[in-house]
Amino acid sequence: MKATKREVILGIGGGIAAYKSADLLRRLQDNGYLVTVVPTPSSLNFVGAATWQALSGRPVTTQVWEKVEDVRHISLAKQADYFIIAPATADLIARLAAGRADDLLTNLVLASDVPKMIVPAMHPSMWLDAATVANVSTLRARGFIVMEPEVGRLTGSDSGQGRFPETAAIIKSFLSMTGRHQDLIGTTVIVTAGGTREAIDPVRFIGNRSSGKQGIAVAKAAASRGADVHLIAANVDIDTLPGVSITHVENAQQMLEALLESFKDCDILVMSAAVADARPKTRALEKIKKAMFTSIELEENPDILATLNATKDRQIVVGFAAETSELLASAQNKLVKKALDMIYVNDVSGGAIFGHDETAGTIVLRNGDLIPVPHQSKDTLADLLLDYALKQLG
Ligand code: C5P
């Protein structure tokens, strides 16, 4: 299975609605898409390249004559999974319908055969002009999804059909084109994130380096795919996440209790939290004085996944293994011991992975299949894990 398709080219036409696409870009990113903005040269009169560069975090080019050595019109076209052109002016629609390639955006459209969506915005008389009507029907006949502009007040005093639709409506159409938003509707996903802390005294604890980024990425991805998501966060600095209910816990025992309450009602559990293997046998009520702080007696923490296994029925359980040696052997061993459906193992030697936005490792499935995960963002891995979990859930 290929990783979830997430590379989007956001084409910007030269209309005043271009500024609204800054919000569209953000919402696409919220939905887990990686967006490259390709403005037409005339659109830069409304919103400059620096804005798109800053918001997308990627270089912005308008012409095939820039960065010629990269052959951008081919490399970008190859990388794209989807196009969304918003706003599309009457002129841009005409150029697309004619198959012209007179700027980078129109070159890319011609060079790529992935699904494309067009969001027109223009004066009603231009939208209703016979030339535009014919161009739109040509594009639709070629498979482009062309949204209907909204009816209402335009930039001047006129009103009619031509307004740029609300971002939420555009996102809805885009998600339905990509077929992503439906696939976790009706599914309850629990995600654990962060690292547990086991108190030694009121000041000190036994903890670990987990930042919670991977768990948050999974929670976000599941919510954007329509799941009911519950995040159990251990010492993660996060108050809200759209579409996600959050329970904060500190230690392994609290995480176990939160899961014992909710696990039976979930369909997928993604256990990305790093749980401390052991805890101090006693927690001192007062800070232990330096001279007395020479050793800590430990006791084993409950293994949360192994405990939940006793009540497991339909749930798909995804575990994580952060290792520094014998990666695959440890992962396979944990997969069996904790009765997991899959486990993601990564090499955290030398401070790699923890706290970073990127990851690399291997997914091990219950049937023994190994899926290598080359260096990529934690968001991409989140979608990939959910793809496999959904497949196993049937
Ligand atoms: O710590 P370990 O490498 O065994 O963790 C593997 C998986 O088991 C992780 O998904 C982790 O969240 C989970 N785990 C657990 N209970 C523990 C320790 C780890 O459920 N006490």
Side-chain angles (χ1 to χ4, degrees), residues 192 271-277 301-306 318-323 334 338 343:
T192 66
M271 189 76 189
S272 54
V275 182
D277 295 314
N301 256 333
D303 190 304
I304 299 176
L305 286 174
V318 183
F320 277 69
E323 307 288 346
K334 283 175 191 174
K338 301 185 189 222
I343 188 162

Side-chain angles (χ1 to χ4, degrees), residues 24 26 59 156 186 235 254 256 265 330 355 369 385 387:
L24 177 61
R26 278 284 184 247
N235 310 297
Q254 290 166 352
L256 174 63
D265 297 324
S330 312
D369 280 1
L385 290 172
D387 288 347

Side-chain angles (χ1 to χ4, degrees), residues 123-135:
H123 191 274
S125 53
M126 297 172 89
W127 174 247
L128 294 173
D129 185 89
T132 307
V133 171
N135 289 333

Side-chain angles (χ1 to χ4, degrees), residues 8-15 17-18 21 24 28 35-40 43 82-93 95-97 103-110 114-121 139 144-147 164-165 170 174 177:
V8 175
I9 295 211
L10 170 60
I12 311 285
S21 285
L24 177 61
L28 286 166
V35 187
T36 303
V37 182
V38 183
T40 63
S43 78
Y82 304 101
F83 278 64
I84 174 165
I85 301 175
T89 59
D91 175 67
L92 181 52
I93 287 171
R95 289 193 288 130
L96 292 171
D103 58 18
L104 181 59
L105 179 58
T106 46
N107 266 276
L108 289 171
V109 169
L110 275 188
V114 299
K116 300 182 186 82
M117 184 172 140
I118 293 180
V119 188
L139 289 175
F144 287 76
I145 309 289
V146 184
M147 267 188 97
F164 192 64
I170 301 174
F174 182 76
M177 175 178 84

